Amino acid sequence: GAGVSQSPRYKVAKRGQDVALRCDPISGHVSLFWYQQALGQGPEFLTYFQNEAQLDKSGLPSDRFFAERPEGSVSTLKIQRTQQEDSAVYLCASSSRQGSTDTQYFGPGTRLTVL
Amino acid sequence: AQSVTQLGSHVSVSEGALVLLRCNYSSSVPPYLFWYVQYPNQGLQLLLKYTTGATLVKGINGFEAEFKKSETSFHLTKPSAHMSDAAEYFCAVTYTGKLIFGQGTTLQVKP
């Protein structure tokens, strides 16, 4: 079956530009997560949705980062006025239920490079 | 607070040798622990997870891990390495549903 998909796979932005990263979770999955993975590091949590509700956004590094999931399916992570330190791989994951034991299934990621 | 430490950012083994990747955790509540593998330019794939019950957990591709509460460890092992095992491995613990990852260990397999 189809897994988690993300687009674009690669994005190059000039400093100061706005970008939008898309995540299509596995159909029917209730929970959706965004993580940021800097080069050579483990992924770090950004934000979490249960259906359309954003329940945790404690990992968003600044108010330039904004995420939404308006219909409880596709999610978009938007970064305004990109900075060089935003360069990273942005990973999306989904799980079928809400709970700490549920497996999170990851997409391939979007590699963002800010020049 | 929950945290994960992976000892050794890079491990090199010969094909056919034992693989041992170390993970220690810190958790204020009973932990749920995961190992993920990441191949180049791909997302993370679950190898195995520990939630409750048996402390020796078997996963895909011949990997297994043992939860040792007294040592706060969850080391990953495989009896015989294959070339295809070369990848980045991440240990993680859950906290309020989100995953807290270690820094990762790169496994190199030499012919």
Side-chain angles (χ1 to χ4, degrees):
Chain A
V4 178
S5 61
Q6 294 185 245
S7 60
R9 289 293 314 277
Y10 302 91
K11 177 69 178 178
V12 178
K14 293 182 179 179
R15 190 174 59 180
Q17 284 184 331
D18 297 349
V19 299
L21 313 180
R22 177 187 169 104
C23 172
D24 284 82
I26 294 172
S27 178
H29 275 196
V30 167
S31 297
L32 186 145
F33 302 81
W34 284 98
Y35 294 86
Q36 180 190 58
Q37 184 176 20
L39 187 64
Q41 304 295 316
E44 293 191 353
F45 170 80
L46 293 176
T47 187
Y48 158 59
F49 291 86
Q50 184 179 342
N51 296 308
E52 68 278 6
Q54 188 175 20
L55 299 185
D56 187 347
K57 54 182 181 180
S58 62
L60 296 177
S62 76
D63 59 7
R64 296 186 295 105
F65 287 71
F66 172 76
E68 61 182 3
R69 193 186 185 197
E71 298 180 357
S73 178
V74 171
S75 177
T76 304
L77 176 67
K78 298 179 180 178
I79 309 173
Q80 297 177 324
R81 305 182 303 283
T82 53
Q83 304 295 315
Q84 285 189 324
E85 61 263 29
D86 300 334
S87 295
V89 176
Y90 291 85
L91 296 167
C92 176
S94 69
S95 65
S96 58
R97 299 184 303 271
Q98 184 268 339
S100 292
T101 63
D102 291 342
T103 297
Q104 293 184 27
Y105 296 88
F106 283 80
T110 294
R111 182 178 297 276
L112 173 64
T113 302
V114 181
L115 303 177
Chain B
Q2 276 67 16
S3 66
V4 172
T5 301
Q6 293 184 239
L7 300 176
S9 60
H10 189 271
V11 171
S12 182
V13 301
S14 297
E15 191 174 18
L18 172 71
V19 175
L20 171 61
L21 305 183
R22 300 178 185 273
C23 172
N24 288 87
Y25 69 89
S26 172
S27 178
S28 56
V29 298
Y32 301 129
L33 296 158
F34 301 76
W35 274 100
Y36 279 86
V37 61
Q38 187 176 35
Y39 298 100
N41 298 317
Q42 295 186 29
L44 283 77
Q45 179 183 8
L46 180 71
L47 281 175
L48 50 80
K49 66 179 180 182
Y50 169 79
T51 55
T52 59
T55 57
L56 181 62
V57 181
K58 295 185 183 299
I60 63 171
N61 301 337
F63 285 93
E64 63 182 37
E66 186 172 11
F67 170 62
K68 293 187 176 181
K69 184 178 179 180
S70 62
E71 299 178 7
T72 62
S73 69
F74 191 56
H75 301 331
L76 182 70
T77 61
K78 181 175 181 177
S80 176
H82 293 171
M83 296 297 293
S84 60
D85 294 327
E88 186 85 11
Y89 291 79
F90 293 96
C91 182
V93 63
T94 56
Y95 178 64
T96 62
K98 60 192 174 190
L99 290 167
I100 309 297
F101 287 91
Q103 294 287 80
T105 298
T106 301
L107 176 64
Q108 179 187 24
V109 182
K110 298 177 292 185

